[in-house]
Amino acid sequence: MEWQRKDLLGLEELSAEEIEFILETAASFKEVSTREIKKVPALRGKTVVNLFYEPSTRTRVSFEVAAKRLSADVINIAVETSSVKKGETLIDTGKNIEALKADIVVIRHGSSGAPNILSRNLNISVVNGGDGWHEHPTQALLDMFTLKEKLGRIKGLDVCIVGDIAHSRVARSNIWGLTKLGAKVTVCAPAMLIPAEIEKLGVLVSDDLDKVIRNADAVNVLRMQFERDNQEAFPKQLEYFQKFGITEEKLALAKKDIIIMHPGPINRGIEISSEVADGKNSVILEQVTNGIAVRMAVLFLVSQGKEYQDAHPH
Ligand code: CP
């Protein structure tokens, strides 16, 4: 297929074919990271700006590594020391990045929809690095890439997403992506962490992890996002860990080769035990490695999409 989108804002708007195409493109880029000289010239002469309004380790570094492997120039804007602190608006910051002749801006923001606002106001490519509770598309893509690599397919897999569904952009993007590619998705959490009407997105809902984990091919464990809400809205940590924490006792109920995923950062002893996080079923660090190939694919494709749109103006 010919990629036509200049932005990646979320998986809700992508077709199954487009998602498959990103995963196939990522597979072709994965090999680059195994070379002695880990570089291809695909984005030589292009500039990628990382504009992160929220903390990040994996996503920011992964986008930087991905851009450098494609031979792009990379600029990281530290919002804390930028003119955002003098009251500059998101749109003005974006327009200045565009005026500085960047080609792609990767944005992480605490407000849902911030990447969409930039996309509507800029001509350069915009990539969502996580916005509020809305979407984290490259995380879900790397989760799906890892599932496909480990289990050979997405269609028909039984995937359980456990934890703080209510505050999770990772959950939302995974739900859009996995259901489009034909997986059976169950979200599992205490009722207070399940958003109303989530079933309408095509998922099953359960508060019985002991039951759900028995049939699961993979469990994606979410971090409890204590920073996002009133702590009163959260269950007590010990109580949560006993019922929903992924421990060796829970794994004893599951298929022997179940895949344990986590987007990171992990909270050991809160949503996952150290034994499981570091154990043989865990693919947590492989997810991080796969993030490079997935983000190389996304940066490459949005750059192609920009060229397509410039050649086919509306
Ligand atoms: N998974 C993820 O988004 O991690 P960071 O917050 O470290 O980028």
Side-chain angles (χ1 to χ4, degrees), residues 55-60 108 136 139 263-265:
S56 169
T57 300
R58 280 145 290 271
T59 311
R60 198 201 59 70
R108 168 168 291 190
H136 193 347
Q139 180 65 47

Side-chain angles (χ1 to χ4, degrees), residues 52 54-61 108 129-130 136 138-139 142 169-170 223 262-265 288 295:
F52 277 53
E54 278 192 337
S56 169
T57 300
R58 280 145 290 271
T59 311
R60 198 201 59 70
V61 175
R108 168 168 291 190
H136 193 347
T138 57
Q139 180 65 47
L142 75 87
R169 54 198 179 206
V170 175
R223 183 173 69 85
H262 192 306
V288 177
R295 291 177 174 119

Side-chain angles (χ1 to χ4, degrees), residues 159-196:
V159 181
C160 178
I161 306 175
V162 185
D164 188 1
I165 312 294
H167 302 94
S168 178
R169 54 198 179 206
V170 175
R172 264 173 206 76
S173 288
N174 263 280
I175 289 169
W176 286 118
L178 287 167
T179 55
K180 282 176 197 221
L181 296 198
K184 175 189 157 201
V185 180
T186 305
V187 294
C188 186
M192 68 179 75
L193 296 179
I194 300 276

Side-chain angles (χ1 to χ4, degrees), residues 34-67:
T34 65
R35 296 183 192 173
E36 196 179 327
I37 297 173
K38 303 178 182 67
K39 246 184 183 359
V40 288
L43 291 190
R44 191 164 57 194
K46 305 282 185 194
T47 301
V48 176
V49 171
N50 280 325
L51 177 64
F52 277 53
Y53 288 80
E54 278 192 337
S56 169
T57 300
R58 280 145 290 271
T59 311
R60 198 201 59 70
V61 175
S62 180
F63 268 113
E64 181 169 353
V65 172

Side-chain angles (χ1 to χ4, degrees), residues 249-267:
E249 291 70 40
K250 298 286 187 216
L251 282 201
L253 303 171
K255 292 179 184 172
K256 205 162 50 50
D257 52 358
I258 188 170
I259 300 289
I260 304 297
M261 301 195 295
H262 192 306
I266 60 176
N267 292 144

